[in-house]
Amino acid sequence: MTSDALPLLIEVIRGNTVESRHFGAAVVVDSAGKVIWSLGDPELMMFPRSAIKPIQAGLVMAESGALERFDVSQKELALGCASHTGEPMHADAVRAWLARLGLSPANLECGEQDPGTKRALHDLYRSGASAGREHNNCSGKHSGFLTVCRQMDVDPKGYLNPEHPAQAAVCRTMAEMCGVDLVSSDFGTDGCGVPSIAMPLHALA
């Protein structure tokens, strides 16, 4: 969709000159999902990406019973719902979580990523180590997927495949929470390899 079809949301002004313009759409719904205000098309198809981490990992773990069975702590639950910066407190927590599942960072399918802060990055490489999958800003969410795999007693390998039972559970939960049929939705791939589901903007709201 071109910017001509989207309303202007933000103008950034430097001095007396408009430096940049940002176009988009916005929508507000009530508790029943009824659109009560919108700017632009509330039916705009979009990829919510990291905005749905609390549903992808957190809610699916909770509904499956994995939180209780594997004693997932509040810190780990927060990590599963967040994008982190790969600092030692994050990477160490991911390693400990996976170890409790009988797994390791090698089971993460998110790929390696440098820590997101200069201090953590410099400290890591000064120590002679290198970035691993546990440093990926999405490793908490992926650890949540692996916890769901353990709860479902399914092979965690390939858990990013849209047909994998873990991702099927995510899709079902997303459809239920957003009140929209996602069967025919377009699937893309997020930066960390997770299937990304296109949905109407109002459904995310």
Side-chain angles (χ1 to χ4, degrees):
M1 182 176 287
T2 65
S3 61
D4 294 338
L6 295 170
L8 176 65
L9 298 183
I10 300 169
E11 278 189 339
V12 179
I13 298 174
R14 190 182 299 273
N16 295 315
T17 302
V18 176
E19 181 178 56
S20 61
R21 293 184 172 90
H22 303 268
F23 300 83
V27 63
V28 176
V29 302
D30 63 17
S31 60
K34 179 183 177 182
V35 176
I36 58 176
W37 178 87
S38 64
L39 186 63
D41 182 9
E43 299 294 327
L44 179 70
M45 295 299 291
M46 46 80 70
F47 289 102
R49 303 189 63 193
S50 289
I52 60 172
K53 282 184 177 182
I55 298 176
Q56 284 178 305
L59 187 57
V60 175
M61 279 195 293
E63 290 189 336
S64 70
L67 290 180
E68 292 80 11
R69 179 180 174 188
F70 295 101
D71 196 25
V72 177
S73 68
Q74 290 295 303
K75 181 187 292 186
E76 290 165 342
L77 179 59
L79 199 60
C81 296
S83 297
H84 64 76
T85 51
E87 296 171 67
M89 63 178 174
H90 305 132
D92 291 346
V94 167
R95 290 189 202 98
W97 183 359
L98 293 173
R100 206 166 63 251
L101 300 175
L103 302 172
S104 75
N107 295 103
L108 296 171
E109 297 181 5
C110 53
E112 298 85 4
Q113 184 179 23
D114 283 336
T117 67
K118 287 184 178 179
R119 179 173 180 176
L121 179 63
H122 293 169
D123 288 349
L124 179 68
Y125 283 97
R126 284 189 186 119
S127 73
S130 58
R133 299 178 184 186
E134 65 271 33
H135 296 96
N136 189 295
N137 71 315
C138 292
S139 64
K141 176 178 69 176
H142 285 250
S143 296
F145 292 150
L146 290 170
T147 305
V148 171
C149 289
R150 282 292 191 241
Q151 174 68 8
M152 299 174 76
D153 196 25
V154 297
D155 186 354
K157 187 175 181 179
Y159 68 85
L160 294 184
N161 189 311
E163 283 75 43
H164 190 280
Q167 293 305 322
V170 170
C171 191
R172 285 193 303 271
T173 302
M174 284 296 304
E176 179 184 354
M177 291 299 295
C178 296
V180 62
D181 182 6
L182 298 175
V183 173
S184 59
S185 289
D186 184 29
F187 277 75
T189 304
D190 212 337
C192 64
V194 173
S196 189
I197 311 169
M199 65 178 64
L201 183 61
H202 78 83
L204 176 64

